[in-house]
Amino acid sequence: MSEEKKISANQQAKIVVAEEIAEKIKASKSVVFVDYNKLTVAEVSELRRKCKQAGCEYKVYKNTLLRKALNELGFTQFDGDLNGPTAVAFAQDETAAAKIMVQAAKDYQDKIVLKSAFVDNAYVDKEGVKALASMPSKEELIAKMLGSMQAPIANFAGVLNNLLSGIVRVLDQVAKSKEA
């Protein structure tokens, strides 16, 4: 008889789920953890819909599986936050999940409680999540930057157009004066 430890099907399933969570965390630019304990089923459905519209994924996992996944990635700072009911919002940008969850905490008045976040491979506390939610997204920043770069170019084009129009008018006047 072998001395190897046998892993039950349940334990094997938990290992697989923890690995899936770790992969989702690695694939996301931000992950926000919240306590969702007091939400109704209808409110959870509405929150999932809002997350989906914003390009986020809202999931509920057991804390032990979340802790295992984060620990496998080398992050133990979240251990204290992973108590009580925990929902997770995964996002492909740095601010979307934070914005959705901070707004949900306001909309659902104390039914959603911010815990922490994982952004750019770093632990972010709940105050940091609030600050992150107030920041414009990368796309918004790029749009603002392009808009500010476009204004001087448009002004320069206007000046050139006026200059050329002025030259054409002067040449036209010169031509008319020579005809007369």
Side-chain angles (χ1 to χ4, degrees), residues 10 23 29 38 45 51 53 57 66-67 71 76-77 87 93 96 105 107 113 132-134 159 171-173 177-179:
N10 187 34
E23 288 303 314
K29 296 247 177 138
K38 298 172 187 164
S45 296
C51 284
Q53 287 174 343
E57 182 182 8
L66 286 169
R67 193 174 295 115
N71 289 345
T76 57
Q77 306 92 317
D93 73 9
D107 292 347
V113 178
L132 197 58
S134 67
V159 168
L171 290 175
D172 186 48
Q173 290 298 323
S177 68
K178 287 192 176 186
E179 287 176 4

PDB file of all heavy atoms in Angstrom, residues 10 23 29 38 45 51 53 57 66-67 71 76-77 87 93 96 105 107 113 132-134 159 171-173 177-179:
ATOM      1  N   ASN A  10     -13.227  16.521  -3.729  1.00  0.00           N
ATOM      2  CA  ASN A  10     -13.582  17.855  -3.234  1.00  0.00           C
ATOM      3  C   ASN A  10     -12.340  18.733  -3.097  1.00  0.00           C
ATOM      4  O   ASN A  10     -12.340  19.896  -3.505  1.00  0.00           O
ATOM      5  CB  ASN A  10     -14.320  17.729  -1.900  1.00  0.00           C
ATOM      6  CG  ASN A  10     -14.872  19.052  -1.425  1.00  0.00           C
ATOM      7  OD1 ASN A  10     -15.279  19.888  -2.232  1.00  0.00           O
ATOM      8  ND2 ASN A  10     -14.893  19.254  -0.121  1.00  0.00           N
ATOM      9  N   GLU A  23      -5.497  32.764 -11.885  1.00  0.00           N
ATOM     10  CA  GLU A  23      -5.378  33.143 -13.296  1.00  0.00           C
ATOM     11  C   GLU A  23      -6.204  34.395 -13.600  1.00  0.00           C
ATOM     12  O   GLU A  23      -5.755  35.279 -14.325  1.00  0.00           O
ATOM     13  CB  GLU A  23      -5.797  31.989 -14.212  1.00  0.00           C
ATOM     14  CG  GLU A  23      -4.808  30.864 -14.248  1.00  0.00           C
ATOM     15  CD  GLU A  23      -3.408  31.290 -14.673  1.00  0.00           C
ATOM     16  OE1 GLU A  23      -3.271  32.040 -15.665  1.00  0.00           O
ATOM     17  OE2 GLU A  23      -2.446  30.886 -13.996  1.00  0.00           O
ATOM     18  N   LYS A  29      -6.424  43.869 -14.568  1.00  0.00           N
ATOM     19  CA  LYS A  29      -5.632  45.047 -14.174  1.00  0.00           C
ATOM     20  C   LYS A  29      -6.007  45.480 -12.766  1.00  0.00           C
ATOM     21  O   LYS A  29      -5.199  46.082 -12.062  1.00  0.00           O
ATOM     22  CB  LYS A  29      -5.865  46.192 -15.152  1.00  0.00           C
ATOM     23  CG  LYS A  29      -5.397  45.891 -16.542  1.00  0.00           C
ATOM     24  CD  LYS A  29      -4.243  46.741 -16.917  1.00  0.00           C
ATOM     25  CE  LYS A  29      -3.767  46.358 -18.291  1.00  0.00           C
ATOM     26  NZ  LYS A  29      -3.434  47.442 -19.129  1.00  0.00           N
ATOM     27  N   LYS A  38     -25.629  41.940   2.775  1.00  0.00           N
ATOM     28  CA  LYS A  38     -27.016  42.370   2.950  1.00  0.00           C
ATOM     29  C   LYS A  38     -27.762  42.605   1.641  1.00  0.00           C
ATOM     30  O   LYS A  38     -28.900  43.041   1.644  1.00  0.00           O
ATOM     31  CB  LYS A  38     -27.039  43.644   3.799  1.00  0.00           C
ATOM     32  CG  LYS A  38     -26.466  43.419   5.187  1.00  0.00           C
ATOM     33  CD  LYS A  38     -26.315  44.708   5.946  1.00  0.00           C
ATOM     34  CE  LYS A  38     -25.592  44.447   7.256  1.00  0.00           C
ATOM     35  NZ  LYS A  38     -25.098  45.668   7.843  1.00  0.00           N
ATOM     36  N   SER A  45     -28.223  40.761  -8.828  1.00  0.00           N
ATOM     37  CA  SER A  45     -28.407  40.647 -10.287  1.00  0.00           C
ATOM     38  C   SER A  45     -28.173  41.988 -10.973  1.00  0.00           C
ATOM     39  O   SER A  45     -27.525  42.062 -12.020  1.00  0.00           O
ATOM     40  CB  SER A  45     -29.811  40.142 -10.603  1.00  0.00           C
ATOM     41  OG  SER A  45     -29.981  38.843 -10.112  1.00  0.00           O
ATOM     42  N   CYS A  51     -21.780  45.609 -13.647  1.00  0.00           N
ATOM     43  CA  CYS A  51     -20.385  45.200 -13.828  1.00  0.00           C
ATOM     44  C   CYS A  51     -20.134  44.756 -15.258  1.00  0.00           C
ATOM     45  O   CYS A  51     -19.149  45.154 -15.877  1.00  0.00           O
ATOM     46  CB  CYS A  51     -20.024  44.076 -12.857  1.00  0.00           C
ATOM     47  SG  CYS A  51     -19.767  44.618 -11.159  1.00  0.00           S
ATOM     48  N   GLN A  53     -21.757  45.602 -17.952  1.00  0.00           N
ATOM     49  CA  GLN A  53     -21.798  46.760 -18.847  1.00  0.00           C
ATOM     50  C   GLN A  53     -20.484  47.547 -18.801  1.00  0.00           C
ATOM     51  O   GLN A  53     -20.079  48.136 -19.789  1.00  0.00           O
ATOM     52  CB  GLN A  53     -22.956  47.679 -18.472  1.00  0.00           C
ATOM     53  CG  GLN A  53     -24.307  47.142 -18.842  1.00  0.00           C
ATOM     54  CD  GLN A  53     -25.445  48.010 -18.323  1.00  0.00           C
ATOM     55  OE1 GLN A  53     -25.273  48.831 -17.438  1.00  0.00           O
ATOM     56  NE2 GLN A  53     -26.630  47.813 -18.884  1.00  0.00           N
ATOM     57  N   GLU A  57     -16.218  41.662 -14.227  1.00  0.00           N
ATOM     58  CA  GLU A  57     -16.860  40.401 -13.875  1.00  0.00           C
ATOM     59  C   GLU A  57     -17.042  40.369 -12.371  1.00  0.00           C
ATOM     60  O   GLU A  57     -16.099  40.593 -11.616  1.00  0.00           O
ATOM     61  CB  GLU A  57     -16.002  39.217 -14.323  1.00  0.00           C
ATOM     62  CG  GLU A  57     -16.630  37.883 -14.026  1.00  0.00           C
ATOM     63  CD  GLU A  57     -15.766  36.704 -14.426  1.00  0.00           C
ATOM     64  OE1 GLU A  57     -14.605  36.903 -14.810  1.00  0.00           O
ATOM     65  OE2 GLU A  57     -16.265  35.573 -14.318  1.00  0.00           O
ATOM     66  N   LEU A  66     -10.012  32.299  -2.147  1.00  0.00           N
ATOM     67  CA  LEU A  66      -9.401  33.593  -2.504  1.00  0.00           C
ATOM     68  C   LEU A  66      -8.041  33.732  -1.833  1.00  0.00           C
ATOM     69  O   LEU A  66      -7.057  34.140  -2.465  1.00  0.00           O
ATOM     70  CB  LEU A  66     -10.308  34.747  -2.083  1.00  0.00           C
ATOM     71  CG  LEU A  66     -11.560  34.969  -2.923  1.00  0.00           C
ATOM     72  CD1 LEU A  66     -12.495  35.955  -2.238  1.00  0.00           C
ATOM     73  CD2 LEU A  66     -11.193  35.468  -4.302  1.00  0.00           C
ATOM     74  N   ARG A  67      -7.994  33.409  -0.552  1.00  0.00           N
ATOM     75  CA  ARG A  67      -6.744  33.518   0.215  1.00  0.00           C
ATOM     76  C   ARG A  67      -5.679  32.612  -0.397  1.00  0.00           C
ATOM     77  O   ARG A  67      -4.528  33.020  -0.585  1.00  0.00           O
ATOM     78  CB  ARG A  67      -7.018  33.148   1.677  1.00  0.00           C
ATOM     79  CG  ARG A  67      -5.912  33.519   2.630  1.00  0.00           C
ATOM     80  CD  ARG A  67      -6.284  33.256   4.093  1.00  0.00           C
ATOM     81  NE  ARG A  67      -7.386  34.121   4.517  1.00  0.00           N
ATOM     82  CZ  ARG A  67      -8.596  33.694   4.873  1.00  0.00           C
ATOM     83  NH1 ARG A  67      -8.889  32.414   4.870  1.00  0.00           N
ATOM     84  NH2 ARG A  67      -9.523  34.541   5.241  1.00  0.00           N
ATOM     85  N   ASN A  71      -2.277  33.941  -1.958  1.00  0.00           N
ATOM     86  CA  ASN A  71      -1.038  33.460  -1.339  1.00  0.00           C
ATOM     87  C   ASN A  71      -0.140  32.783  -2.366  1.00  0.00           C
ATOM     88  O   ASN A  71       1.078  32.939  -2.330  1.00  0.00           O
ATOM     89  CB  ASN A  71      -1.335  32.517  -0.172  1.00  0.00           C
ATOM     90  CG  ASN A  71      -1.914  33.245   1.035  1.00  0.00           C
ATOM     91  OD1 ASN A  71      -1.857  34.470   1.131  1.00  0.00           O
ATOM     92  ND2 ASN A  71      -2.501  32.500   1.940  1.00  0.00           N
ATOM     93  N   THR A  76       0.043  38.132   0.865  1.00  0.00           N
ATOM     94  CA  THR A  76      -0.614  37.740   2.119  1.00  0.00           C
ATOM     95  C   THR A  76      -1.300  38.932   2.781  1.00  0.00           C
ATOM     96  O   THR A  76      -1.974  38.764   3.788  1.00  0.00           O
ATOM     97  CB  THR A  76       0.412  37.140   3.095  1.00  0.00           C
ATOM     98  OG1 THR A  76       1.445  38.104   3.319  1.00  0.00           O
ATOM     99  CG2 THR A  76       1.010  35.852   2.550  1.00  0.00           C
ATOM    100  N   GLN A  77      -1.149  40.131   2.222  1.00  0.00           N
ATOM    101  CA  GLN A  77      -1.750  41.335   2.801  1.00  0.00           C
ATOM    102  C   GLN A  77      -3.280  41.258   2.833  1.00  0.00           C
ATOM    103  O   GLN A  77      -3.918  41.948   3.611  1.00  0.00           O
ATOM    104  CB  GLN A  77      -1.368  42.603   2.026  1.00  0.00           C
ATOM    105  CG  GLN A  77       0.096  42.831   1.845  1.00  0.00           C
ATOM    106  CD  GLN A  77       0.615  42.246   0.545  1.00  0.00           C
ATOM    107  OE1 GLN A  77       0.278  41.144   0.145  1.00  0.00           O
ATOM    108  NE2 GLN A  77       1.485  42.991  -0.129  1.00  0.00           N
ATOM    109  N   ALA A  87     -17.319  39.260  -2.189  1.00  0.00           N
ATOM    110  CA  ALA A  87     -17.544  39.246  -3.631  1.00  0.00           C
ATOM    111  C   ALA A  87     -16.340  39.927  -4.269  1.00  0.00           C
ATOM    112  O   ALA A  87     -15.671  40.759  -3.644  1.00  0.00           O
ATOM    113  CB  ALA A  87     -18.819  39.991  -3.979  1.00  0.00           C
ATOM    114  N   ASP A  93      -9.271  47.184 -16.655  1.00  0.00           N
ATOM    115  CA  ASP A  93      -8.573  48.462 -16.499  1.00  0.00           C
ATOM    116  C   ASP A  93      -8.422  48.746 -15.009  1.00  0.00           C
ATOM    117  O   ASP A  93      -8.926  48.014 -14.164  1.00  0.00           O
ATOM    118  CB  ASP A  93      -9.245  49.600 -17.261  1.00  0.00           C
ATOM    119  CG  ASP A  93     -10.543  50.078 -16.640  1.00  0.00           C
ATOM    120  OD1 ASP A  93     -10.883  49.666 -15.516  1.00  0.00           O
ATOM    121  OD2 ASP A  93     -11.220  50.900 -17.260  1.00  0.00           O
ATOM    122  N   ALA A  96     -12.262  50.749 -13.416  1.00  0.00           N
ATOM    123  CA  ALA A  96     -13.667  50.372 -13.634  1.00  0.00           C
ATOM    124  C   ALA A  96     -14.284  49.645 -12.442  1.00  0.00           C
ATOM    125  O   ALA A  96     -15.369  50.003 -11.980  1.00  0.00           O
ATOM    126  CB  ALA A  96     -13.809  49.525 -14.898  1.00  0.00           C
ATOM    127  N   ALA A 105     -21.634  50.882  -3.251  1.00  0.00           N
ATOM    128  CA  ALA A 105     -21.633  51.113  -1.802  1.00  0.00           C
ATOM    129  C   ALA A 105     -22.517  52.313  -1.459  1.00  0.00           C
ATOM    130  O   ALA A 105     -23.199  52.310  -0.428  1.00  0.00           O
ATOM    131  CB  ALA A 105     -20.210  51.326  -1.301  1.00  0.00           C
ATOM    132  N   ASP A 107     -25.079  53.470  -3.582  1.00  0.00           N
ATOM    133  CA  ASP A 107     -26.432  53.144  -4.026  1.00  0.00           C
ATOM    134  C   ASP A 107     -27.153  52.205  -3.064  1.00  0.00           C
ATOM    135  O   ASP A 107     -28.344  52.352  -2.828  1.00  0.00           O
ATOM    136  CB  ASP A 107     -26.417  52.496  -5.416  1.00  0.00           C
ATOM    137  CG  ASP A 107     -25.999  53.456  -6.512  1.00  0.00           C
ATOM    138  OD1 ASP A 107     -25.958  54.689  -6.258  1.00  0.00           O
ATOM    139  OD2 ASP A 107     -25.699  52.984  -7.626  1.00  0.00           O
ATOM    140  N   VAL A 113     -19.852  46.792   1.423  1.00  0.00           N
ATOM    141  CA  VAL A 113     -18.774  47.417   2.187  1.00  0.00           C
ATOM    142  C   VAL A 113     -17.458  47.106   1.486  1.00  0.00           C
ATOM    143  O   VAL A 113     -17.128  45.934   1.250  1.00  0.00           O
ATOM    144  CB  VAL A 113     -18.751  46.890   3.644  1.00  0.00           C
ATOM    145  CG1 VAL A 113     -17.604  47.514   4.416  1.00  0.00           C
ATOM    146  CG2 VAL A 113     -20.078  47.159   4.334  1.00  0.00           C
ATOM    147  N   LEU A 132      -9.109  55.567  -6.080  1.00  0.00           N
ATOM    148  CA  LEU A 132      -9.018  54.997  -7.423  1.00  0.00           C
ATOM    149  C   LEU A 132     -10.303  55.242  -8.202  1.00  0.00           C
ATOM    150  O   LEU A 132     -10.277  55.550  -9.398  1.00  0.00           O
ATOM    151  CB  LEU A 132      -8.757  53.495  -7.299  1.00  0.00           C
ATOM    152  CG  LEU A 132      -8.234  52.742  -8.490  1.00  0.00           C
ATOM    153  CD1 LEU A 132      -6.921  53.334  -8.972  1.00  0.00           C
ATOM    154  CD2 LEU A 132      -8.056  51.279  -8.142  1.00  0.00           C
ATOM    155  N   ALA A 133     -11.437  55.142  -7.530  1.00  0.00           N
ATOM    156  CA  ALA A 133     -12.734  55.345  -8.177  1.00  0.00           C
ATOM    157  C   ALA A 133     -12.918  56.779  -8.653  1.00  0.00           C
ATOM    158  O   ALA A 133     -13.649  57.028  -9.609  1.00  0.00           O
ATOM    159  CB  ALA A 133     -13.864  54.964  -7.225  1.00  0.00           C
ATOM    160  N   SER A 134     -12.250  57.716  -8.002  1.00  0.00           N
ATOM    161  CA  SER A 134     -12.404  59.127  -8.386  1.00  0.00           C
ATOM    162  C   SER A 134     -11.473  59.515  -9.538  1.00  0.00           C
ATOM    163  O   SER A 134     -11.597  60.603 -10.087  1.00  0.00           O
ATOM    164  CB  SER A 134     -12.150  60.032  -7.177  1.00  0.00           C
ATOM    165  OG  SER A 134     -10.793  59.949  -6.788  1.00  0.00           O
ATOM    166  N   VAL A 159      -4.787  79.906 -38.168  1.00  0.00           N
ATOM    167  CA  VAL A 159      -3.873  81.026 -38.445  1.00  0.00           C
ATOM    168  C   VAL A 159      -3.316  80.901 -39.862  1.00  0.00           C
ATOM    169  O   VAL A 159      -3.268  81.882 -40.615  1.00  0.00           O
ATOM    170  CB  VAL A 159      -2.727  81.075 -37.404  1.00  0.00           C
ATOM    171  CG1 VAL A 159      -1.619  82.025 -37.837  1.00  0.00           C
ATOM    172  CG2 VAL A 159      -3.273  81.469 -36.044  1.00  0.00           C
ATOM    173  N   LEU A 171      -3.041  89.631 -53.241  1.00  0.00           N
ATOM    174  CA  LEU A 171      -2.710  89.370 -54.648  1.00  0.00           C
ATOM    175  C   LEU A 171      -3.877  89.731 -55.566  1.00  0.00           C
ATOM    176  O   LEU A 171      -3.672  90.261 -56.672  1.00  0.00           O
ATOM    177  CB  LEU A 171      -2.323  87.893 -54.840  1.00  0.00           C
ATOM    178  CG  LEU A 171      -0.987  87.474 -54.218  1.00  0.00           C
ATOM    179  CD1 LEU A 171      -0.778  85.980 -54.366  1.00  0.00           C
ATOM    180  CD2 LEU A 171       0.174  88.239 -54.856  1.00  0.00           C
ATOM    181  N   ASP A 172      -5.078  89.455 -55.120  1.00  0.00           N
ATOM    182  CA  ASP A 172      -6.262  89.807 -55.900  1.00  0.00           C
ATOM    183  C   ASP A 172      -6.359  91.317 -56.058  1.00  0.00           C
ATOM    184  O   ASP A 172      -6.645  91.823 -57.151  1.00  0.00           O
ATOM    185  CB  ASP A 172      -7.521  89.244 -55.205  1.00  0.00           C
ATOM    186  CG  ASP A 172      -8.769  89.441 -56.036  1.00  0.00           C
ATOM    187  OD1 ASP A 172      -8.715  89.125 -57.243  1.00  0.00           O
ATOM    188  OD2 ASP A 172      -9.795  89.869 -55.478  1.00  0.00           O
ATOM    189  N   GLN A 173      -6.099  92.082 -55.001  1.00  0.00           N
ATOM    190  CA  GLN A 173      -6.134  93.533 -55.061  1.00  0.00           C
ATOM    191  C   GLN A 173      -5.036  94.058 -56.005  1.00  0.00           C
ATOM    192  O   GLN A 173      -5.260  94.992 -56.765  1.00  0.00           O
ATOM    193  CB  GLN A 173      -5.981  94.154 -53.659  1.00  0.00           C
ATOM    194  CG  GLN A 173      -7.174  93.939 -52.767  1.00  0.00           C
ATOM    195  CD  GLN A 173      -8.427  94.584 -53.323  1.00  0.00           C
ATOM    196  OE1 GLN A 173      -8.391  95.666 -53.916  1.00  0.00           O
ATOM    197  NE2 GLN A 173      -9.548  93.889 -53.172  1.00  0.00           N
ATOM    198  N   SER A 177      -5.667  96.152 -59.366  1.00  0.00           N
ATOM    199  CA  SER A 177      -5.094  97.484 -59.532  1.00  0.00           C
ATOM    200  C   SER A 177      -4.260  97.564 -60.816  1.00  0.00           C
ATOM    201  O   SER A 177      -4.179  98.627 -61.437  1.00  0.00           O
ATOM    202  CB  SER A 177      -4.250  97.893 -58.320  1.00  0.00           C
ATOM    203  OG  SER A 177      -3.096  97.092 -58.261  1.00  0.00           O
ATOM    204  N   LYS A 178      -3.649  96.468 -61.236  1.00  0.00           N
ATOM    205  CA  LYS A 178      -2.867  96.476 -62.461  1.00  0.00           C
ATOM    206  C   LYS A 178      -3.777  96.451 -63.693  1.00  0.00           C
ATOM    207  O   LYS A 178      -3.383  96.932 -64.744  1.00  0.00           O
ATOM    208  CB  LYS A 178      -1.915  95.284 -62.497  1.00  0.00           C
ATOM    209  CG  LYS A 178      -0.773  95.464 -61.531  1.00  0.00           C
ATOM    210  CD  LYS A 178       0.323  94.455 -61.759  1.00  0.00           C
ATOM    211  CE  LYS A 178       1.457  94.774 -60.826  1.00  0.00           C
ATOM    212  NZ  LYS A 178       2.612  93.980 -61.030  1.00  0.00           N
ATOM    213  N   GLU A 179      -4.960  95.864 -63.545  1.00  0.00           N
ATOM    214  CA  GLU A 179      -5.915  95.828 -64.654  1.00  0.00           C
ATOM    215  C   GLU A 179      -6.493  97.212 -64.882  1.00  0.00           C
ATOM    216  O   GLU A 179      -6.849  97.559 -66.002  1.00  0.00           O
ATOM    217  CB  GLU A 179      -7.045  94.857 -64.358  1.00  0.00           C
ATOM    218  CG  GLU A 179      -6.667  93.397 -64.442  1.00  0.00           C
ATOM    219  CD  GLU A 179      -7.798  92.456 -64.056  1.00  0.00           C
ATOM    220  OE1 GLU A 179      -8.917  92.949 -63.798  1.00  0.00           O
ATOM    221  OE2 GLU A 179      -7.551  91.263 -64.010  1.00  0.00           O
TER     222      GLU A 179
END
